[in-house]
Amino acid sequence: MTPLHPKIFSGPISFLKSAPQLQFLPDPSVPEIAFAGRSNVGKSSLINALTGRNGLARTSNTPGRTQELNFFDIGDPLIFRICDMPGYGFAKAPPKVVQKWRYLINDYLRGRQVLKRTFVLIDSRHGIKNTDEDVLDMLDKAAVSYRIVMTKADKVKTTALEATKAKVLAEAKKHPAAHPDLIITSSEKKQGIDELRMAVLEAVQI
């Protein structure tokens, strides 16, 4: 197989569909890469930076806006898909809504054969929270390979960032399904975006 080139991200990319339930998932015909993270972690902004499109994934100042699995087609002909998962840990959402999101995420992670890797986003300002721990444990139990991506690195001082990075790395080592290396990113400054692109393409070809 010829290695995929990052120029893929400057080619055709389009929104495919939103899936509120598993029966609405697209046909599992190509590899999928999922992005998961707490509400307001900057997931939509990172997907936009990754794909070089400002408005591909919807960004909002209202956390929890993404309540469905959103799929994006990469390449024409189609090479792989990105799945933007519902933000978790949104305190203002009704408990029934939170539970529905949780079931959707859990069922997708456990049952999706074409899912190659999940990128779990952690806010550089806050590190790993309890809600993140829950998702990491869920991924471990589902035996889904994942890699931690720290977001908003430009929002913290270097010393604080290094301290948080060390804590996150130590925590990642406790999780059997976690990739041993972190990716440090800033959507605004485009920091780490090239590295993230290479990590996505590497995962697609597993």
Side-chain angles (χ1 to χ4, degrees):
M1 183 177 181
T2 305
L4 297 176
H5 194 278
K7 68 181 180 184
I8 285 168
F9 292 105
S10 58
I13 297 177
S14 59
F15 171 74
L16 174 63
K17 67 186 301 188
S18 294
Q21 295 171 300
L22 291 186
Q23 63 260 41
F24 298 106
L25 293 178
D27 290 337
S29 56
V30 293
E32 289 174 3
I33 301 295
F35 283 82
R38 280 199 319 272
S39 297
N40 211 25
V41 75
K43 187 154 49 65
S44 295
S45 295
L46 190 67
I47 290 173
N48 288 337
L50 173 74
T51 57
R53 269 78 170 172
N54 288 333
L56 186 69
R58 293 184 305 177
T59 58
S60 172
N61 290 326
T62 306
R65 182 174 170 182
T66 305
Q67 299 179 22
E68 302 172 340
L69 297 169
N70 292 308
F71 289 88
F72 303 92
D73 284 350
I74 314 296
D76 185 13
L78 182 61
I79 300 169
F80 68 98
R81 289 193 177 105
I82 287 174
C83 175
D84 181 7
M85 302 178 71
Y88 55 82
F90 178 39
K92 293 180 182 177
K96 284 186 178 179
V97 173
V98 173
Q99 191 71 354
K100 180 184 170 189
W101 296 355
R102 188 171 181 82
Y103 282 140
L104 180 64
I105 291 171
N106 197 16
D107 290 346
Y108 171 74
L109 291 174
R110 285 178 176 275
R112 196 66 169 167
Q113 295 296 321
V114 293
L115 178 60
K116 296 294 187 177
R117 179 160 292 161
T118 298
F119 289 86
V120 180
L121 278 47
I122 302 293
D123 193 320
S124 295
R125 299 170 298 180
H126 308 304
I128 293 177
K129 299 266 194 178
N130 290 339
T131 46
D132 296 314
E133 281 284 0
D134 291 344
V135 171
L136 299 185
D137 289 339
M138 190 191 300
L139 287 160
D140 288 336
K141 289 173 185 171
V144 173
S145 169
Y146 62 93
R147 188 164 182 176
I148 294 175
V149 178
M150 291 177 60
T151 63
K152 305 186 180 184
D154 58 308
K155 306 296 185 188
V156 293
K157 292 181 178 177
T158 304
T159 48
L161 179 63
E162 288 301 317
T164 303
K165 179 182 174 182
K167 288 180 183 177
V168 173
L169 266 174
E171 186 59 41
K173 288 178 181 176
K174 300 176 187 176
H175 292 272
H179 191 285
D181 297 325
L182 306 180
I183 301 175
I184 312 297
T185 67
S186 162
S187 298
E188 281 190 23
K189 306 292 186 185
K190 301 298 184 282
Q191 176 185 347
I193 300 303
D194 287 342
E195 184 182 355
L196 180 60
R197 285 174 177 159
M198 292 304 295
V200 167
L201 296 180
E202 175 189 308
V204 166
Q205 297 173 100
I206 291 173

